[in-house]
Amino acid sequence: MLQYADQAEAAIQASQWSPMVKQMNVAAIALEIGTATGLSEGQVHRRLAVTRRVREKAPMTWLAFRKGRIDAARVQIISDGIDKLKRDASIVRLDQRVVTYAETHTTAQLRQWVRRFIARVEPDEHEKRAEDERKTRRVDAFHGEDGMGFLDAKLPSYLLAAIDKRLIKEAKALGADDPRTLQQRRADLLAAWLTTNEAGEPAIHADIAVTIPAASLAGVNDDPIISADGDWAIPAAWITDLVATGNTLWHRILTDPAGHTLDHTYLGRFAPETVKKAIAYRDATCQAPGCTRRADQCDTDHRIPHPTGPTSGTNLWALCRRHHQQKGHHVIRWLLPSGREAPAETAAHSPPIEDLSWMEHQLAGFILDES
């Protein structure tokens, strides 16, 4: 992969293309490799960055890897350590010492060893990074299988330790008669603390979009409930129980099996908001191979560029901004479900707004083709 990427990038840089087109083509190398190997673009970028860094800055580690003395997992840990070190002398010291340790210890032990080495060899830089990292504190929600997921909080270590201790103490205080496991009690306590106010009353104010079959909402069947972006699914009873509390305000969007919203063709280049929402429901994520960016965070793009292609559900799809730009600069050829190639976009998407005669001919031609 590294050899192919180096050769492809060299060929691109030697071409007569403009700097922007070169940049787009270089960015597409990872997508090409990922499509051929079944990896995501992020995974390809990660592997290329790891191997380039070790090859260029840690020759002893790279040689040990080439000879099979350490595996790729250990190379990644060492590469991450190199990336944090700021001084060449520190990197040399790491390269001289780490292989011997890596050969005889687990990856978890190696990760701890590298972390300690970095903090000790460059304590001033470690302090700067810690202060910078504290500014990136955040909370993320990740949805998993079978209606469950993870809440990930990035916080200073001393706060995490305090939260952990409090959860253990409060969970144990619930008593041995509580049928829940210790971990279940910890999880329920955290959820209660985050979703209620000081008086113990519900305090959630957030819009959560889900697709609920009418039969499930009425209790006729137990078809699962799907999130609007298609990322998670939960049993119908979980939502119907929530409805029964009377604390939930619902905004209803009716969907029809005939799909009328997506069947219409609309005048102009930009789709109405109702169509954009329908596209987001339908596509769930960016339609580029392997991309998982949520559709509601993507552009609503014409597969066949406007005005040649109509503004309708059959010709619109969700593309994240990066893949939209790659398509627009002729970097990647996108295929329609029929197998036909979608032409790359041009700089001018449509003629001046004063001249609408082209749209009448285009719309008439589209309707004739459909009939």
Side-chain angles (χ1 to χ4, degrees):
M1 289 166 56
L2 181 61
Q3 182 181 17
Y4 176 83
D6 288 344
Q7 292 174 349
E9 184 170 352
I12 292 170
Q13 298 299 348
S15 70
Q16 301 299 315
W17 294 331
S18 68
M20 178 175 290
V21 174
K22 286 182 179 180
Q23 181 181 357
M24 291 294 178
N25 277 273
V26 169
I29 293 174
L31 178 60
E32 185 178 358
I33 294 175
T35 302
T37 58
L39 300 173
S40 69
E41 287 181 86
Q43 289 173 314
V44 173
H45 280 300
R46 168 74 167 154
R47 296 190 184 195
L48 293 179
V50 163
T51 51
R52 281 197 178 107
R53 188 179 301 124
V54 173
R55 182 185 64 179
E56 295 170 3
K57 296 186 176 182
M60 296 180 66
T61 302
W62 182 248
L63 181 62
F65 173 60
R66 294 290 300 271
K67 290 187 174 182
R69 293 169 57 192
I70 58 176
D71 59 11
R74 288 167 172 79
V75 169
Q76 285 194 6
I77 295 171
I78 297 169
S79 176
D80 290 342
I82 294 172
D83 190 42
K84 288 184 177 294
L85 293 171
K86 298 299 182 182
R87 303 183 180 99
D88 292 340
S90 301
I91 296 175
V92 171
R93 289 179 60 184
L94 176 66
D95 190 32
Q96 291 173 339
R97 297 179 55 185
V98 72
V99 172
T100 301
Y101 188 91
E103 287 181 300
T104 56
H105 292 79
T106 66
T107 54
Q109 291 173 323
L110 175 61
R111 189 174 291 106
Q112 293 174 345
W113 184 93
V114 171
R115 190 180 299 133
R116 294 193 301 269
F117 179 91
I118 293 171
R120 289 169 180 167
V121 75
E122 293 183 352
D124 54 336
E125 295 294 340
H126 177 262
E127 183 178 355
K128 292 178 184 178
R129 284 194 301 272
E131 290 296 335
D132 290 340
E133 279 297 303
R134 185 159 62 170
K135 297 175 184 177
T136 66
R137 55 192 181 275
R138 57 185 293 171
V139 176
D140 295 292
F142 300 96
H143 299 286
E145 301 294 334
D146 301 321
M148 298 295 288
F150 294 89
L151 184 69
D152 182 37
K154 184 177 182 180
L155 295 169
S157 292
Y158 72 93
L159 288 178
L160 290 176
I163 293 171
D164 185 44
K165 292 287 186 180
R166 184 188 176 192
L167 283 171
I168 292 177
K169 180 180 178 180
E170 297 288 345
K172 289 182 176 179
L174 293 175
D177 294 337
D178 194 311
R180 296 171 296 179
T181 66
L182 181 64
Q183 288 293 1
Q184 289 173 341
R185 281 180 260 169
R186 281 163 53 93
D188 292 346
L189 280 170
L190 180 63
W193 294 343
L194 292 178
T195 58
T196 58
N197 57 25
E198 295 180 356
E201 300 169 344
I204 298 179
H205 299 285
D207 290 330
I208 303 173
V210 293
T211 301
I212 307 176
S216 295
L217 193 59
V220 176
N221 60 37
D222 56 358
D223 288 344
I225 292 171
I226 311 296
S227 66
D229 61 2
D231 192 34
W232 48 272
I234 59 175
W238 291 9
I239 288 293
T240 54
D241 290 344
L242 182 62
V243 173
T245 66
N247 295 318
T248 305
L249 177 64
W250 291 91
H251 298 274
R252 184 176 63 172
I253 298 178
L254 295 179
T255 58
D256 190 290
H260 294 307
T261 300
L262 296 180
D263 283 347
H264 284 297
T265 297
Y266 299 87
L267 296 178
R269 171 186 168 192
F270 299 104
E273 287 300 317
T274 54
V275 176
K276 292 180 180 179
K277 290 183 179 180
I279 295 295
Y281 270 84
R282 184 196 67 190
D283 291 351
T285 63
C286 169
Q287 296 300 285
C291 186
T292 57
R293 177 61 66 97
R294 280 172 31 193
D296 61 1
Q297 298 176 353
C298 294
D299 297 337
T300 303
D301 172 56
H302 290 74
R303 304 185 191 201
I304 298 176
H306 184 80
T308 304
T311 301
S312 68
T314 57
N315 191 49
L316 295 172
W317 59 3
L319 282 184
C320 70
R321 182 59 53 85
R322 182 162 60 89
H323 287 121
H324 191 177
Q325 290 176 339
Q326 289 181 354
K327 171 177 175 281
H329 286 86
H330 302 259
V331 175
I332 300 174
R333 293 174 299 176
W334 305 89
L335 296 180
L336 301 177
S338 63
R340 293 183 292 109
E341 184 177 319
E345 298 177 22
T346 58
H349 280 270
S350 62
I353 193 170
E354 296 83 11
D355 179 14
L356 297 180
S357 59
W358 58 273
M359 176 57 74
E360 297 176 1
H361 295 298
Q362 179 59 41
L363 182 58
F366 173 74
I367 295 175
L368 181 61
D369 292 341
E370 288 295 300
S371 62

